[in-house]
Amino acid sequence: MSNNYETKRRRVRQVPAVIIIDQHTLARTTIVRLLAHELAGWDFIDMMGIENLDSAIGMDVRLVALDVAGRNVESSSLHNDLAAIYELFPEAAIALLSSTDDSAMASHALAMGVRGYFTTSLPIEIAIAGIRLVLAGGIFCPNPLGTFATEMPKSDRPPPRENRTNGNGHARYLSVADFTPREADVLAELQRGHPNKVIAGKLNLSGNTVKMHLQHIMRKLNVQNRTEVVARLGQAPSTDHEYTAS
C-alpha cells in the first residue's frame, strides 16, 4: 500500500493528528515514536520547519509542538511561526519545546496563548501527563508561575484566539508541577467529561483510587467539587470521545 493512499485514507477517516516541528532529527523522531505509543491510532507528522505546514491542511490536527530552537519569546521568527500555525490550524493546541528552564519565557509563552511549555529537563512521565492535559483542553507548565507578564505590545503578539485570556487579560492556566503523573492523568480524563467509573477503566485503577486522586486534586486546587476542577482547566469538558487518548 502506498504512503499516499494511506495518507488519503487517514484523512477521510479524520484520524486526530499531532504535528512535531523540530530541526533536530533525533529529538523529532524520538518524540514521534513516544507519542505513537501513547496515542495509538493517531496520526503524526514531523517536519524540520513550518515551510511544509500546508501539507497537513484538511487533517484533524489537535496539537502542534514547536521547537523554540534557541529563540527567545520576543523573537520575530518565533512570533511568525506561531502566527502561521494559528492561521492554518486555529483549533489546534500549540506547545513549545525548549532546552531552557526559563520561567519568564514560559510565562510570556502562555500569556501569548501557547497551551503547553515543555523543557528537555522534564521526566518522561511528567511530559506524557502534560501532553495528555493539553490534549484534554488544559494548559501545562512545568513550574508554578505567578501572574503572567502582559506588558508585551499588542503589535508584537500573535493574532488573538478565543478563550486565550480571562477577564483580567491574564492567561488562564493550570500548572501540574504539584501533581503526581497519575493525578495529571486523572485530570486529563476528568476534562474529557468522563465519570469515575470510566476513568478507573481507562487508567486501570480502582474506583476508590480514582476518588482518592480526585480528593488530592481538589485539595491542591482549593476547590470543592469536580465542576470547579474542570473550571480551573479553562474550558468546559469535551463531549467528543471518539478519539481520546488511551
Side-chain angles (χ1 to χ4, degrees):
M1 182 181 297
S2 69
N3 290 336
N4 288 339
Y5 178 85
E6 178 65 16
T7 298
K8 290 179 180 178
R9 186 177 69 83
R10 284 175 175 268
R11 290 189 182 187
V12 169
R13 290 174 53 212
Q14 282 297 290
V15 174
V18 175
I19 298 176
I20 307 297
I21 305 173
D22 192 321
Q23 62 182 342
H24 302 99
T25 302
L26 178 59
R28 188 174 70 250
T29 54
T30 299
I31 293 172
V32 167
R33 289 192 178 187
L34 175 65
L35 292 182
H37 175 75
E38 294 293 326
L39 303 173
W42 285 50
D43 212 350
F44 299 92
I45 306 99
D46 65 285
M47 52 187 68
M48 294 183 63
I50 68 167
E51 294 78 15
N52 296 321
L53 267 179
D54 56 359
S55 64
I57 292 177
M59 304 184 75
D60 183 14
V61 177
R62 304 288 182 86
L63 172 67
V64 180
L66 173 67
D67 179 30
V68 172
R71 297 171 291 186
N72 62 50
V73 76
E74 297 178 352
S75 165
S76 60
S77 172
L78 179 59
H79 281 232
N80 290 339
D81 284 359
L82 290 174
I85 295 169
Y86 289 140
E87 181 177 0
L88 291 178
F89 307 104
E91 301 302 320
I94 298 179
L96 291 183
L97 311 175
S98 175
S99 60
T100 303
D101 292 303
D102 188 335
S103 60
M105 182 169 182
S107 175
H108 275 289
L110 297 181
M112 291 162 55
V114 171
R115 300 192 69 85
Y117 189 85
F118 295 82
T119 65
T120 52
S121 64
L122 283 174
I124 188 63
E125 64 272 12
I126 294 293
I128 291 298
I131 289 170
R132 288 179 180 272
L133 189 62
V134 171
L135 288 172
I139 298 179
F140 174 83
C141 180
N143 299 303
L145 297 174
T147 301
F148 296 144
T150 56
E151 68 274 8
M152 190 183 303
K154 290 184 177 180
S155 60
D156 291 338
R157 299 180 187 178
R161 299 177 75 193
E162 185 179 1
N163 292 333
R164 182 172 296 176
T165 60
N166 61 21
N168 297 324
H170 297 145
R172 295 183 295 187
Y173 75 101
L174 179 66
S175 172
V176 298
D178 294 328
F179 296 119
T180 67
R182 185 54 86 186
E183 287 170 353
D185 285 341
V186 171
L187 270 172
E189 298 301 334
L190 182 64
Q191 174 65 6
R192 294 186 177 100
H194 293 159
N196 286 7
K197 184 176 181 179
V198 174
I199 294 175
K202 288 175 70 65
L203 300 180
N204 195 27
L205 300 173
S206 69
N208 287 335
T209 301
V210 171
K211 290 180 181 179
M212 179 191 69
H213 285 314
L214 286 174
Q215 290 172 354
H216 292 170
I217 289 168
M218 288 188 288
R219 184 171 65 250
K220 290 176 180 180
L221 292 176
N222 193 29
V223 299
Q224 302 300 316
N225 53 54
R226 294 163 59 101
T227 302
E228 292 181 1
V229 171
V230 172
R232 286 292 303 274
L233 292 178
Q235 69 178 58
S238 169
T239 57
D240 178 11
H241 301 154
E242 184 177 2
Y243 292 116
T244 54
S246 58

